[in-house]
């Protein structure tokens, strides 16, 4: 972790932005990932997201990214909005890599088996749920991820190049019961609409 934060991440942006040969950075990144302990929760979600961001910049293999997405999905409730603000891949007009965050969220929901029957269980006994059960996610964790998603939506809504369908898909990805209130989601929608209006006015000129 110390090596990755002090040496690898610090020089990565410079190398990529200046078109330098990143083969050594890629090899170092994958070596760091191989050294991480495999136990669940043994590595912070923030570090895993930094490694994923670096892997996207370095265009690492799909298998490597998939393993990181899997580990992040297992503890997504411990992430912060700033952790999720990964820059878009080259060739994408948008500012942020929304597709990658969507994949992480899908992995979170998949690992915790969120479906219609699980939502019914949440609604029937939200306060006394067995948090150790493998087939149902604790409501507190689900609410934490919903809050994270809404905060993320508020940030990416500022991007005038964000496609509407991606914003909607991400907003609707969380089960209805995950949001006790919808204020944060409404704020994100408000930001998105204001950015759209400003963009339209500038385009009309």
């Amino acid at each position: 972790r110390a090596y990755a934060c002090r040496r690898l991440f610090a020089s990565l942006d410079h190398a990529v932005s200046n078109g330098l040969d990143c083969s050594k950075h890629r090899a170092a990144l994958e070596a760091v990932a191989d050294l991480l302990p495999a136990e669940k929760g043994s590595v912070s979600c923030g570090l895993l997201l930094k490694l994923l961001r670096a892997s996207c910049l370095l265009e690492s293999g799909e298998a490597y990214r998939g393993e990181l997405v899997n580990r992040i999905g297992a503890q997504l409730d411990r992430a912060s909005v700033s952790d999720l603000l990964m820059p878009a891949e080259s060739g994408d007009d948008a500012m942020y890599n929304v597709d990658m965050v969507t994949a992480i969220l899908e992995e979170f929901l998949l690992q915790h088996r969120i479906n219609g029957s699980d939502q019914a269980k949440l609604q029937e006994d939200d306060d006394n749920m067995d948090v150790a059960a493998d087939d149902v996610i604790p409501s507190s964790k689900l609410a934490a991820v919903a809050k994270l998603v809404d905060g993320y939506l508020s940030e990416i809504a500022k991007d005038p190049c964000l496609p509407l369908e991606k914003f909607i898909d991400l907003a609707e990805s969380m089960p209805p019961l995950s949001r006790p209130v919808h204020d944060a989601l409404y704020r994100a929608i408000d930001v998105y609409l204001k950015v759209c209006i400003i963009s339209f006015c500038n385009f009309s000129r």
Side-chain angles (χ1 to χ4, degrees), residues 49-95:
L49 281 160
K50 286 183 175 66
L51 290 171
L52 181 60
R53 175 185 182 275
S55 73
C56 292
L57 288 174
L58 294 171
E59 299 180 350
S60 298
E62 290 295 329
Y64 172 76
R65 295 192 205 182
E67 176 61 25
L68 288 173
V69 168
N70 182 279
R71 297 189 64 168
I72 294 167
Q75 52 180 319
L76 183 58
D77 57 302
R78 302 178 185 177
S80 67
V81 173
S82 59
D83 290 333
L84 297 178
L85 295 176
M86 293 179 283
E89 296 184 349
S90 58
D92 193 339
D93 293 333
M95 295 171 57

Side-chain angles (χ1 to χ4, degrees), residues 68-167:
L68 288 173
V69 168
N70 182 279
R71 297 189 64 168
I72 294 167
Q75 52 180 319
L76 183 58
D77 57 302
R78 302 178 185 177
S80 67
V81 173
S82 59
D83 290 333
L84 297 178
L85 295 176
M86 293 179 283
E89 296 184 349
S90 58
D92 193 339
D93 293 333
M95 295 171 57
Y96 302 110
N97 194 337
V98 179
D99 291 337
M100 185 59 69
V101 173
T102 301
I104 294 171
L105 181 58
E106 289 174 351
E107 182 64 30
F108 167 80
L109 297 174
L110 178 64
Q111 288 190 29
H112 295 89
R113 304 176 191 173
I114 294 298
N115 52 40
S117 61
D118 290 340
Q119 290 185 44
K121 292 178 183 178
L122 280 170
Q123 194 167 21
E124 288 173 4
D125 195 6
D126 186 55
D127 295 329
N128 300 313
M129 181 176 297
D130 179 8
V131 296
D134 292 331
D135 60 337
V136 183
I137 186 172
S139 57
S140 59
K141 183 178 290 189
L142 190 61
V145 173
K147 181 179 179 180
L148 177 69
V149 169
D150 291 347
Y152 179 73
L153 285 169
S154 292
E155 289 299 321
I156 65 173
K158 302 171 186 176
D159 178 10
C161 294
L162 175 66
L164 175 61
E165 59 272 15
K166 289 188 178 183
F167 183 89

Side-chain angles (χ1 to χ4, degrees), residues 11-26 57-59 90:
S11 60
L12 182 60
D13 289 333
H14 172 76
V16 173
S17 60
N18 287 279
L20 303 179
D21 182 10
C22 293
S23 56
K24 291 184 178 179
H25 288 81
R26 191 178 298 109
L57 288 174
L58 294 171
E59 299 180 350
S90 58

